[in-house]
Amino acid sequence: GQSLEQPSEVTAVEGAIVQINCTYQTSGFYGLSWYQQHDGGAPTFLSYNGLDGLEETGRFSSFLSRSDSYGYLLLQELQMKDSASYFCAVSAFSGSARQLTFGSGTQLTVLP
Amino acid sequence: DAMVIQNPRYQVTQFGKPVTLSCSQTLNHNVMYWYQQKSSQAPKLLFHYYDKDFNNEADTPDNFQSRRPNTSFCFLDIRSPGLGDAAMYLCATSRDGQGRETQYFGPGTRLLVL
């Protein structure tokens, strides 16, 4: 099976940088994804790491270390609209397609 | 715009009364997923279809079933909803369920069981 751990809450101020960590235990690991979900909304894809290293997409970056079973999401130049839940998710194959197992989510609150 | 559509957005049902939630997609993706998400929890995969190939998660209750009559539509049937089934139900798609591809989520249907 798969299990993931991430902090339940993080608070930061506008313009700051915040890092959300994720550790995982899994079999058949293919990659680590990050999704953002605003209250009442659908999860939306942010980033994916299949290999070790850093992936950068605008203000968001994600890092993976497969040997440490660890990844993080880095959010820079925080804006109020970044207040949301952030989920890490591991990819593994089940049946005929890749499936995601989500962490419990980190609620990010951005203060003015 | 291509998207994943879920109807209705809110569904109220009575304890034990069968209910069907629907999902459609204009992305022409091969894989469709159903997730259950309870308040302040992670989305939990119930099952997925790769084309017509149905894959049920081991811990998905028998009370939950799914149908995919064609590429565009997928339904979630809850045969006898209990109070514990109140949740947000999310439908998602992916092109081929391979590699690094993204899953695209619909807006969800919030189910309330009275």
Side-chain angles (χ1 to χ4, degrees), chain A residues 38-70:
Chain A
H38 287 97
D39 277 349
T44 56
F45 173 80
L46 291 177
S47 188
Y48 174 84
N49 296 76
L51 301 173
D52 286 357
L54 192 67
E55 292 278 344
E56 296 180 84
T57 309
R59 294 187 297 115
F60 297 165
S61 303
S62 60
F63 172 83
L64 176 66
S65 169
R66 294 171 71 115
S67 60
D68 295 324
S69 298
Y70 164 76

Side-chain angles (χ1 to χ4, degrees), chain B:
Chain B
D1 288 347
M3 58 175 59
V4 182
I5 303 160
Q6 291 188 245
N7 286 304
R9 295 293 310 276
Y10 299 90
Q11 176 73 55
V12 181
T13 190
Q14 293 178 332
F15 183 93
K17 184 175 181 180
V19 65
T20 295
L21 309 181
S22 72
C23 176
S24 64
Q25 53 123 345
T26 60
L27 297 158
N28 203 32
H29 282 175
N30 286 322
V31 190
M32 296 187 77
Y33 307 82
W34 278 104
Y35 291 87
Q36 179 192 63
Q37 186 178 27
K38 297 188 176 180
S39 182
S40 301
Q41 295 185 20
K44 179 180 179 300
L45 183 65
L46 295 174
F47 22 60
H48 72 270
Y49 274 95
Y50 187 101
D51 195 12
K52 295 181 180 180
D53 183 20
F54 177 71
N55 296 270
N56 196 34
E57 291 303 298
D59 56 356
T60 298
D62 293 340
N63 197 26
F64 291 83
Q65 297 178 338
S66 185
R67 296 170 283 135
R68 189 179 185 186
N70 54 53
T71 300
S72 300
F73 285 88
C74 196
F75 299 98
L76 170 62
D77 300 309
I78 308 176
R79 288 191 298 180
S80 181
L83 298 179
D85 297 328
M88 175 76 86
Y89 290 88
L90 295 162
C91 173
T93 73
S94 68
R95 184 168 50 85
D96 282 309
Q98 308 292 320
R100 64 169 292 153
E101 62 180 37
T102 302
Q103 287 191 17
Y104 296 85
F105 284 81
T109 295
R110 187 168 295 280
L111 178 68
L112 180 62
V113 181
L114 301 178

